[in-house]
Amino acid sequence: MQFGPQIAGRISRSRIWKMIKYFLYFFLGFKAASSFPLPTNNTQCYINNPAVQRFREYVQIDTSKPENLEKAVAFWSRQAVELGLVFEVHRSEGLPIGVMTWPGVDPSLPSIMLNSHMDVVPVDEEFWKYPPYSAHMEDNGNIYGRGTQDCKDVTIQYVEAIRRLKNNNVTLKRTVHVTLMPDEETGGFNGMAKFVKRIEFKQLNVGFAFDEGLASPDENMLLTYQDKRPWQIKITVKGLGGHGSSLSDGSAVQKLQRIMDAIGKYRDSQKKISNEQSIPDAGAYDSVNINIIKTGIAENVMPEKGYLVVDIRLAVSKSVDEMQQLVDSWIAEGGNGTEAKYLRRVEVSDATPTDLSRPYMQAIQEAAKEMNISIVPVLCPAASDMIILRSLGIPALGFAPKTYTPSRIHTSNEYLNAGTLLRGIDVYVNLLQKLGNLNKL
């Protein structure tokens, strides 16, 4: 984790321990965090709660399939009608981008953008304890389903916070836009990347943005101010084919193996750097994983072609040239007939300042103090649509008030506790009032 300069100089022993717990939770997964306390309220406390019901309905839409995005759009269109808000749908390459707008008293002021994405990553149902789009709720209030943490929860929290404020006749100086992107999980190429170039985005007059955030293993709520740069590369090899009984050299599998060995060796070196951090710092190393390997046409045929996809998130200090040289060395391991294609290559990821001279940070910390909660700025070890907004100079922070929650993002048995969901709505109610009434962001 990398903290803003105003925080780095004031780290206490307790804060260091909390950071270490966060590191264990995020990078070692559920088992490392399973001992942390979780809400244990009975499901009867939640089952008839309208916000919980809407959350479960949203999770039940399988938006891993692009064609189901229209069902999500219809869901949000209904919510907008109920709230008396304008809902617009813009389309890019056939994909819908939703924008729900709550006008402020002074629409000339730059607006607040509450961003999230409708799409979710695919699932392998074999590893789920409940059907992944059932939104099954256990007796303790844990709701299981793909998207419960990434990131259908935060969208519900945005809109339910607006619902509560409107029901209480609260008005804000600034206009609030809830934006719903269609393809963040696949890079945002046809969603955020194209939307920010359109006149419809410029007309939103965005001055500050929230987006999806990280779950936390303890009482701290995490505020991400910078994303690591994602590089995703498809490396294709061609080699000698033949009968499955052959021991000839130069096969596609052998070439893939050499490349995988080189990548694995580098991954081990980055894992060592990670383990040696006295204070966990996700920006100090590259994360490297081979996420797809494909080759072969039959059980008794040596394949002549194969490919792998490697997913890299660059360290903050890693130069583009240095990383490119490393990738070139992996390609060289494959020899003749090896090609590389970038599926995603982000060279710059700006940071949003989190020092307390910023009015938006003052508002966030004031809200946290009023609610007796701790909001801690951290570097995001992954990537989000905020990379694009920050590149435009818009202050953008990832935030999801998910405390005492083991991260299940992109893995099986993703869940969120209903009590955690509802508490997050309380937090956003306070944050929106503070940020939405600032004279200056």
Side-chain angles (χ1 to χ4, degrees), residues 191-415:
M192 184 68 78
K194 288 188 176 178
F195 184 54
V196 297
K197 297 177 181 178
R198 296 172 59 153
I199 185 64
E200 292 91 344
F201 174 79
K202 294 178 175 60
Q203 290 171 342
L204 298 183
N205 190 26
V206 177
F208 175 85
F210 272 131
D211 196 15
E212 61 179 315
L214 304 175
S216 171
D218 55 28
E219 72 276 14
N220 289 317
M221 296 183 183
L222 306 177
L223 191 75
T224 60
Y225 59 85
Q226 183 180 20
D227 295 359
K228 292 177 77 168
R229 293 163 290 168
W231 284 26
Q232 292 163 336
I233 312 165
K234 179 179 180 180
I235 302 177
T236 302
V237 301
K238 296 178 181 178
L240 295 176
H243 194 277
S245 64
S246 172
L247 288 175
S248 60
D249 291 325
S251 69
V253 172
Q254 286 178 307
K255 291 183 175 184
L256 284 174
Q257 186 63 62
R258 290 199 299 268
I259 295 170
M260 290 182 350
D261 287 345
I263 293 173
K265 183 177 180 180
Y266 183 71
R267 187 183 190 278
D268 289 343
S269 73
Q270 298 306 292
K271 182 72 172 179
K272 182 178 180 182
I273 293 172
S274 169
N275 291 339
E276 290 174 349
Q277 299 297 304
S278 57
I279 297 176
D281 179 6
Y285 56 86
D286 305 320
S287 65
V288 186
N289 285 293
I290 298 171
N291 291 344
I292 298 176
I293 306 170
K294 288 194 175 180
T295 189
I297 59 173
E299 292 83 352
N300 60 347
V301 177
M302 289 174 57
E304 296 179 280
K305 186 177 181 179
Y307 73 86
L308 60 82
V309 176
V310 57
D311 187 339
I312 312 164
R313 312 300 168 109
L314 275 61
V316 171
S317 61
K318 180 63 62 69
S319 73
V320 170
D321 288 344
E322 184 180 0
M323 179 53 73
Q324 185 57 59
Q325 290 174 9
L326 181 63
V327 172
D328 290 342
S329 72
W330 297 341
I331 297 168
E333 289 290 337
N336 294 334
T338 302
E339 300 175 348
K341 176 184 178 182
Y342 280 93
L343 307 178
R344 192 176 187 190
R345 175 180 164 131
V346 174
E347 297 189 357
V348 177
S349 178
D350 296 315
T352 290
T354 56
D355 58 276
L356 291 177
S357 68
R358 312 286 171 165
Y360 57 82
M361 282 303 300
Q362 294 172 19
I364 290 170
Q365 292 300 343
E366 182 181 347
K369 185 176 180 181
E370 285 183 3
M371 300 191 73
N372 193 30
I373 59 177
S374 174
I375 297 179
V376 181
V378 299
L379 181 95
C380 180
S384 70
D385 281 336
M386 292 299 94
I387 289 178
I388 299 167
L389 286 183
R390 293 182 188 126
S391 71
L392 301 176
I394 297 172
L397 298 169
F399 181 66
K402 293 189 279 267
T403 54
Y404 298 111
T405 301
S407 178
R408 302 297 299 174
I409 293 174
H410 291 201
T411 190
S412 59
N413 297 319
E414 182 181 352
Y415 74 87

Side-chain angles (χ1 to χ4, degrees), residues 124-143:
D124 188 337
E125 293 194 30
E126 176 186 353
F127 300 101
W128 285 72
K129 61 193 297 188
Y130 308 109
Y133 299 103
S134 66
H136 178 91
M137 183 159 60
E138 293 184 326
D139 288 343
N140 64 0
N142 288 342
I143 300 170

Side-chain angles (χ1 to χ4, degrees), residues 9-264:
R10 297 189 274 113
I11 297 177
S12 64
R13 287 186 179 180
S14 62
R15 174 64 56 78
I16 291 174
W17 172 238
K18 290 173 184 176
M19 292 162 62
I20 291 171
K21 286 198 291 183
Y22 160 74
F23 177 82
L24 291 172
Y25 137 80
F26 191 87
F27 294 100
L28 299 184
F30 174 73
K31 290 183 178 179
S34 60
S35 62
F36 297 135
L38 292 168
T40 56
N41 299 42
N42 190 281
T43 186
Q44 294 304 315
C45 299
Y46 306 125
I47 198 165
N48 295 319
N49 184 288
V52 173
Q53 290 176 338
R54 284 187 279 268
F55 176 56
R56 296 178 71 190
E57 181 182 352
Y58 188 30
V59 171
Q60 287 166 353
I61 303 172
D62 178 3
T63 48
S64 68
K65 298 179 176 66
E67 60 269 23
N68 286 343
L69 291 172
E70 300 299 338
K71 296 180 181 179
V73 167
F75 170 84
W76 287 116
S77 179
R78 293 199 308 272
Q79 308 311 311
V81 169
E82 289 181 11
L83 291 168
L85 300 180
V86 174
F87 186 73
E88 297 179 332
V89 180
H90 310 289
R91 296 191 180 276
S92 176
E93 302 297 326
L95 296 177
I97 298 169
V99 180
M100 187 185 301
T101 298
W102 182 24
V105 175
D106 186 353
S108 68
L109 291 173
S111 66
I112 306 296
M113 180 180 186
L114 304 177
N115 188 64
S116 67
H117 57 89
M118 298 178 286
D119 61 317
V120 298
V121 295
V123 301
D124 188 337
E125 293 194 30
E126 176 186 353
F127 300 101
W128 285 72
K129 61 193 297 188
Y130 308 109
Y133 299 103
S134 66
H136 178 91
M137 183 159 60
E138 293 184 326
D139 288 343
N140 64 0
N142 288 342
I143 300 170
Y144 284 78
R146 175 59 84 223
T148 50
Q149 292 187 21
D150 186 14
C151 64
K152 293 184 175 182
D153 58 324
V154 75
T155 326
I156 292 290
Q157 289 168 338
Y158 294 156
V159 175
E160 292 302 316
I162 292 173
R163 187 188 306 273
R164 189 181 303 173
L165 290 169
K166 282 180 63 65
N167 287 343
N168 291 333
N169 297 315
V170 175
T171 57
L172 304 180
K173 291 180 181 178
R174 296 177 185 271
T175 294
V176 175
H177 302 289
V178 178
T179 50
L180 302 143
M181 296 297 135
D183 65 342
E184 188 273 348
E185 294 293 5
T186 52
F189 300 114
N190 293 314
M192 184 68 78
K194 288 188 176 178
F195 184 54
V196 297
K197 297 177 181 178
R198 296 172 59 153
I199 185 64
E200 292 91 344
F201 174 79
K202 294 178 175 60
Q203 290 171 342
L204 298 183
N205 190 26
V206 177
F208 175 85
F210 272 131
D211 196 15
E212 61 179 315
L214 304 175
S216 171
D218 55 28
E219 72 276 14
N220 289 317
M221 296 183 183
L222 306 177
L223 191 75
T224 60
Y225 59 85
Q226 183 180 20
D227 295 359
K228 292 177 77 168
R229 293 163 290 168
W231 284 26
Q232 292 163 336
I233 312 165
K234 179 179 180 180
I235 302 177
T236 302
V237 301
K238 296 178 181 178
L240 295 176
H243 194 277
S245 64
S246 172
L247 288 175
S248 60
D249 291 325
S251 69
V253 172
Q254 286 178 307
K255 291 183 175 184
L256 284 174
Q257 186 63 62
R258 290 199 299 268
I259 295 170
M260 290 182 350
D261 287 345
I263 293 173

